[in-house]
Amino acid sequence: VLILGTTVGIPQALLYYKYFPLWETFLKGLGAEVVVSHSTTKRMVNTGTAVAENELCLPVKVFYGHLLDLKDKADALFVPRVISVEKHSYTCPKFLGLPDLARASDSEMPAILDPVFNSRQSIRSFYSSLFEFGSSFTNKKSVILKAWFHAVNAQTAFQKRMELGATPLEAIEGINTPPIKSDLTIGIAGHPYNIYDPYISLNLINKLRHWGVNVVTTEMIPPHTLEREAERLPKRLFWSFEKDVVGSAFHWMRKGSVDGVVYVLSFACGPDSLIQVLLESEAKKCKDVPLMALVIDEHSGEAGMITRIEAFIDMLRWRKQS
Ligand code: SF4
């Protein structure tokens, strides 16, 4: 049993952008102190890339950088094994192996806390895994249950803030972001750890806002809408997060609610390559909403990205005017 007040580190990478309020509230409810890694820097990308297998996608390399950043700041690191977050779907296989990657990344890594999140298991098995994990902090089941229900409430509030137009970081920090009054709205689709990490995305969302563009993202659309849109595919997508990305882009294209869609994808990501094909095929059918794919890797440069985005915005404005 870990003692109360144990400092648990949460890497500010990968599913942090999806589940941080859930995880933080749960851990605090169990009596842990929570520390989060620094936001991504060039140095973290370099240290992560140096220890990671070369063929891994950029977000996983960045995740390594965050683990190393936390190594000396926490007694234990929280690296859950997220297998499935809804019935009939899985997450990317990389998420299943993260705790093992974390343990192997450095011989002096602190303890890795790796609760399993698997929606395909029964409710009974879920609660038994929850109690097993919580017993590392307390023997009282009531404390574990209370911490979990508070965590679920925090996650629901987080989801609602995003549906009102906040990015995950704004929702976490409690910043209200009223929509910009603009002649142009762009939908940004992609994995949250790519589009919201200011370093990885080269600060794409804030740059667009700075240029007077209204930005909407996948997380700002209610889950039932994403689900309904993704159901238009002839076969259900195997991966939950990718299904949401497809659902958001289909929603914008079909409704014509945005002037253009930017799809941000990682080099060396298998699921992203599949989504790209699906989105391009949909964009050909919905000719009114142009689609631009923006591939990012550890060598992506700001100047090249700015040129491409500016050209895309010019093209969208030209289309509107003509
Ligand atoms: S979905 Fe793609 S980018 Fe995300 S962890 Fe898996 S391989 Fe990497």
Side-chain angles (χ1 to χ4, degrees):
V1 175
L2 294 167
I3 45 167
L4 282 178
T6 295
T7 304
V8 178
I10 299 184
Q12 193 176 154
L14 294 178
L15 297 183
Y16 166 90
Y17 294 93
K18 279 267 183 201
Y19 298 118
F20 176 69
L22 180 81
W23 296 345
E24 182 198 34
T25 312
F26 185 45
L27 289 166
K28 282 187 170 170
L30 293 175
E33 299 277 337
V34 172
V35 58
V36 177
S37 55
H38 194 281
S39 48
T40 309
T41 60
K42 185 172 176 42
R43 200 177 134 264
M44 287 160 87
V45 175
N46 289 343
T47 51
T49 304
V51 284
E53 285 289 326
N54 199 28
E55 65 270 18
L56 282 171
C57 59
L58 175 63
V60 173
K61 290 178 179 169
V62 171
F63 185 76
Y64 273 108
H66 283 267
L67 289 173
L68 295 170
D69 177 72
L70 283 171
K71 195 180 87 172
D72 302 318
K73 297 179 183 167
D75 306 313
L77 302 188
F78 186 74
V79 187
R81 201 181 294 278
V82 181
I83 297 172
S84 164
V85 293
E86 60 184 348
K87 296 275 179 219
H88 315 300
S89 297
Y90 287 97
T91 62
C92 166
K94 300 278 188 329
F95 295 134
L96 275 63
L98 283 185
D100 312 308
L101 283 179
R103 287 191 184 96
S105 61
D106 190 293
S107 57
E108 289 171 17
M109 261 306 148
I112 302 295
L113 304 177
D114 60 348
V116 175
F117 287 94
N118 183 1
S119 300
R120 300 175 69 97
Q121 66 186 162
S122 65
I123 290 282
R124 180 187 285 263
S125 321
F126 170 76
Y127 278 105
S128 115
S129 329
L130 198 70
F131 290 136
E132 190 186 330
F133 174 74
S135 66
S136 302
F137 297 85
T138 172
N139 292 325
K140 291 188 184 149
K141 283 190 174 177
S142 60
V143 172
I144 301 172
L145 270 185
K146 196 169 158 196
W148 178 249
F149 288 124
H150 280 163
V152 171
N153 286 342
Q155 182 69 20
T156 307
F158 171 65
Q159 177 70 36
K160 290 272 171 274
R161 292 193 81 117
M162 292 193 292
E163 287 173 27
L164 291 173
T167 65
L169 292 179
E170 288 161 350
I172 288 167
E173 285 162 21
I175 300 169
N176 284 324
T177 322
I180 296 170
K181 284 204 175 64
S182 170
D183 61 327
L184 213 59
T185 298
I186 292 184
I188 308 283
H191 288 113
Y193 36 87
N194 284 333
I195 65 175
Y196 301 116
D197 183 316
Y199 186 88
I200 294 190
S201 70
L202 303 166
N203 215 3
L204 177 62
I205 292 178
N206 284 336
K207 278 197 176 81
L208 286 170
R209 285 174 171 169
H210 182 70
W211 293 331
V213 175
N214 189 36
V215 174
V216 287
T217 64
T218 305
E219 281 62 36
M220 295 173 192
I221 300 176
H224 62 268
T225 306
L226 298 174
E227 184 71 38
R228 192 187 60 227
E229 294 288 351
E231 275 172 7
R232 291 169 49 231
L233 285 170
K235 189 164 180 267
R236 188 184 165 85
L237 267 184
F238 194 64
W239 306 293
S240 295
F241 303 137
E242 289 69 16
K243 175 173 60 63
D244 289 350
V245 172
V246 168
S248 59
F250 278 19
H251 177 69
W252 296 322
M253 289 179 189
R254 200 173 55 85
K255 291 223 157 204
S257 56
V258 299
D259 299 294
V261 175
V262 176
Y263 175 44
V264 181
L265 63 154
S266 304
F267 181 74
C269 168
D272 266 343
S273 330
L274 174 68
I275 301 176
Q276 186 179 9
V277 174
L278 295 174
L279 298 195
E280 284 172 356
S281 153
E282 187 70 11
K284 279 184 194 145
K285 289 185 223 154
C286 307
K287 293 192 173 60
D288 284 343
V289 182
L291 168 75
M292 182 176 86
L294 202 61
V295 183
I296 47 170
D297 66 14
E298 53 270 48
H299 308 297
S300 295
E302 191 162 6
M305 191 269 268
I306 289 178
T307 308
R308 291 200 60 203
I309 293 284
E310 280 180 341
F312 188 63
I313 292 174
D314 286 347
M315 184 271 289
L316 296 180
R317 288 215 160 101
W318 174 80
R319 276 177 59 123
K320 280 193 104 156
Q321 281 159 12
S322 62

